[in-house]
Amino acid sequence: MKQALEFEKPVIELREKIAELKKLTQDSKIDLSAEITTLENRLQKLENNIYGNLKPWDRVQIARHSERPTTLDYVEHLFTDFIEFHGDRLFGDDESIVTGIAKYKGNPVTIVGHQRGKNTKENIRRNFGSPHPEGYRKALRHMKQADKFKRPIVSFIDTKGAYPGKAAEERGQSEAIARNLMEMAGFKVPIICIVIGEGGSGGALALGVGDHVHMLENSTYSVISPEGAAALLWKDSKQAQKAAESLKITAYDLKKLAVIDEIIPEPKGGAHRDMELQISYIDEVLQKSINDLKKHNAEELLEHRWRKYKAIGDFRNA
C-alpha cells in the first residue's frame, strides 16, 4: 500500500473498504455489487473534494512524499540510450546530482537533475538530494558540453536546497551556484527545466535557469523552506503551514507571478499514485517545449531568455 498522508487517510480507508468487498464477492457467492457501486461513487466525490481543494501545505507534503518519482525514474521512462557521467574533474563525484546524455524521440539531449533516495541507505548515498559544489560543477561541465555540441538541455529539479555544511562552504558552494546561474543564462541551446518535487532555494535555482520552466502540479519552488521561513518570521518552525501559504510556493501561485511557464498536471493524490500517467503528462509538455524552442536560433533564444527573467517580479497584475 502506498504511504498515506494525513489529509488523504479517509480516501485510503475507503479504497481499502472497496477492495475488501470486491475480494469478498470473488471469494463467495454473495452479491455486493450495489454496495460497491455506492462506495465507489462516494469515493469519487471524496477524491474530488480532497484533491480538488489542496492547501499549500498539503502540496508540500505531496512534493516530499518518499515514493514520489525521482529524476532517474523519469529518465528511465522518457529517454533512451542514457549514459550517465560522473565527476567534476576538480574534486569528486556528487551523487545527489545526475548528469548524462540520452535520446529523446530519437534526438540527443543532455540531462541534469537532482537525485534523492527513497530509503535511508539511498538517501545517505545521495546526500538526501542536497548537492555539494562538485555536484553543481559536474552539471555545469556537461551543460557546457551540450552547448558545444548543440544539444538541448533538460533539467529536473528536486532538492530541499544545496548542502549547507562546512565542507561545502570550504569548497565554494556559493561560487558554484552563482557560476551555474551565469553560465546557464548564456547557453545558446534550448534549456527546459521541470520542477518534479521540492525546488528549494539557490540549490534548485542552480539548475533552474531555462527558456521554459515547468512545474508538476504538486511540486513547490521557493526561496526557503516553510519551516525555515517560520523559524525566521515567527521564531517557531511549527508555523510552517502558515508560512507555506504566505510564501506563494505552489505551481498555481508561481504561474500567476510568471516565474514558471506551465503547470504539468498530476494524477489524483500525486505523481506516485500513477507513474505511467504522470510520465505521459510530462512527455507531452516536454515534446512541445523542445519543438517550440528548436524553431529559434541562438540569438533569439538568448533574447527570449533575457526578457523572460527580466519580466519576473512584475506582480502588479498577479
Side-chain angles (χ1 to χ4, degrees):
M1 185 187 76
K2 298 285 187 183
Q3 177 188 341
L5 300 171
E6 189 63 35
F7 69 86
E8 62 179 356
K9 282 184 177 178
V11 171
I12 304 302
E13 291 171 1
L14 190 52
R15 283 176 183 165
E16 291 176 346
K17 182 63 176 178
I18 293 172
E20 287 177 11
L21 292 181
K22 287 182 176 179
K23 187 176 187 303
L24 184 60
T25 300
Q26 291 176 350
D27 296 343
S28 67
K29 295 181 180 180
I30 303 174
D31 184 9
L32 298 172
S33 56
E35 289 83 353
I36 292 172
T37 299
T38 300
L39 290 179
E40 286 178 336
N41 290 335
R42 188 187 303 173
L43 175 63
Q44 185 176 7
K45 291 179 182 179
L46 186 61
E47 286 180 332
N48 290 338
N49 182 51
I50 290 178
Y51 296 129
N53 297 282
L54 291 174
K55 298 178 180 178
W57 184 245
D58 297 331
R59 297 190 192 277
V60 169
Q61 293 180 76
I62 295 175
R64 293 174 174 176
H65 200 288
S66 61
E67 296 173 10
R68 193 169 176 85
T70 65
T71 293
L72 287 177
D73 290 326
Y74 291 124
V75 168
E76 179 183 354
H77 293 88
L78 284 167
F79 305 91
T80 59
D81 303 312
F82 176 63
I83 302 173
E84 184 177 355
F85 297 137
H86 299 273
D88 65 343
R89 293 186 179 174
L90 290 170
F91 179 82
D93 184 40
D94 184 353
E95 292 194 72
S96 59
I97 285 185
V98 295
T99 64
I101 58 174
K103 286 186 178 179
Y104 179 70
K105 310 296 184 185
N107 297 310
V109 296
T110 287
I111 298 168
V112 298
H114 300 96
Q115 180 64 30
R116 57 177 176 80
K118 293 186 178 180
N119 54 52
T120 302
K121 183 178 180 180
E122 191 177 354
N123 267 319
I124 292 172
R125 174 189 168 195
R126 301 286 184 182
N127 202 41
F128 294 85
S130 294
H132 289 80
E134 51 270 23
Y136 294 117
R137 290 173 179 138
K138 174 172 68 171
L140 180 59
R141 181 165 77 89
H142 294 107
M143 288 190 287
K144 283 184 173 181
Q145 183 191 75
D147 192 49
K148 178 179 178 179
F149 292 103
K150 312 301 180 188
R151 291 193 298 263
I153 298 169
V154 181
S155 171
F156 293 98
I157 297 168
D158 185 14
T159 182
K160 293 179 183 296
Y163 185 66
K166 179 185 176 186
E169 295 300 331
E170 289 175 342
R171 297 198 295 274
Q173 185 73 287
S174 58
E175 188 277 339
I177 292 173
R179 185 167 295 277
N180 274 30
L181 301 181
M182 179 184 71
E183 297 278 5
M184 290 183 78
F187 288 147
K188 297 180 179 180
V189 294
I191 306 174
I192 300 101
C193 306
I194 305 174
V195 184
I196 60 173
E198 285 188 274
S201 192
L205 193 59
L207 299 186
V209 180
D211 301 292
H212 286 176
V213 180
H214 308 307
M215 283 181 69
L216 267 61
E217 184 180 7
N218 294 313
S219 57
T220 61
Y221 203 16
S222 64
V223 68
I224 191 173
S225 70
E227 292 88 349
L232 288 173
L233 295 174
W234 300 293
K235 311 302 180 185
D236 183 6
S237 61
K238 294 181 181 179
Q239 297 290 328
Q241 186 170 345
K242 180 180 178 181
E245 296 176 0
S246 301
L247 284 169
K248 306 298 181 185
I249 62 178
T250 70
Y252 293 95
D253 292 323
L254 297 170
K255 182 72 166 63
K256 291 178 182 178
L257 294 169
V259 174
I260 66 167
D261 296 283
E262 191 162 344
I263 299 170
I264 302 175
E266 293 189 31
K268 286 181 181 178
H272 58 288
R273 295 291 174 190
D274 190 341
M275 186 172 168
E276 187 175 339
L277 181 59
Q278 186 62 73
I279 288 165
S280 69
Y281 290 152
I282 294 176
D283 190 29
E284 182 180 352
V285 172
L286 181 58
Q287 185 172 9
K288 183 177 183 298
S289 275
I290 290 179
N291 289 340
D292 288 347
L293 292 172
K294 277 188 172 180
K295 297 174 184 176
H296 302 287
N297 59 37
E299 289 70 25
E300 290 171 339
L301 284 175
L302 290 173
E303 179 64 21
H304 171 270
R305 201 177 299 156
W306 162 250
R307 291 184 180 277
K308 171 184 173 62
Y309 283 92
K310 187 179 178 182
I312 291 176
D314 183 359
F315 53 85
R316 288 168 295 183
N317 297 318

